[in-house]
Amino acid sequence: MRLAGLALDPRGRLTDDVVTPIAVRGSIAVEMVLRDGLTDVADSVELDASPTGFLPADRWVTDWVEAGGTLRDALVRPGVDQYDLRDEHVRAGSWTERPRRWVGRQPYVDHRRERTARDEELPQRFASLQDPRDAALLCIAWPLGLLGMPRTYPDEEQLEVTGPARWVVELTVDLVHRARIGGLLGAADTVGPG
């Protein structure tokens, strides 16, 4: 949910790029790892498909189970995206729609703006970060350019703080990078199966 707050532009409009959905699904996977719902075992992953009560996560898991494939496949396969997180924010009352002034993306008011502002400061606060969730958000959001600073990729020290979720964070960041490069080059499918 915190990634979606960072994905609002200064006018309150949600980013509509094609790379953010990979980061959204990666963030869900990170949370599942930290809650022991997704485990790295030898050359595969173990997934607890029990409902979590968080609709985007439950939908992503259901899609993954139905379609099959690897975690990589589940991260790049279209499905759960920033709009699902938006719907959860609106449902929870943490975002409300603002009236549109012109045709285009719907603007929202983030009622958790203080938390989002703290998240935007994660690069400056990195030295004091201890929570793997904060570190994972930093590592995933920064390459997307969602932290109000030029895009950059996490370094070893930042990845280390992600703790048990490091393997998912690294995979997500790699897929985001590949998707951005593919998008820039106009490649049809640089992150798809294969």
Side-chain angles (χ1 to χ4, degrees), residues 2-3 6-7 116-124 134-152 158:
R2 292 167 60 192
L3 183 69
L6 293 171
T116 301
R118 283 193 312 273
D119 287 343
E120 289 170 341
E121 296 170 354
L122 284 171
Q124 294 88 352
D134 289 340
L137 182 61
L138 168 74
C139 292
I140 292 171
W142 210 345
L144 290 168
L146 298 179
L147 295 175
M149 303 174 77
R151 288 180 168 97
T152 192
Q158 293 160 344

Side-chain angles (χ1 to χ4, degrees), residues 159-173:
L159 287 167
E160 187 66 34
V161 180
T162 64
R166 179 179 178 149
W167 61 282
V168 172
V169 171
E170 287 180 323
L171 177 60
T172 302
V173 169

Side-chain angles (χ1 to χ4, degrees), residues 13 17 35 59 82 116 137 152 161 182 194:
R13 297 172 306 172
D17 67 48
R35 292 178 183 223
R59 183 173 150 223
Q82 62 269 36
T116 301
L137 182 61
T152 192
V161 180

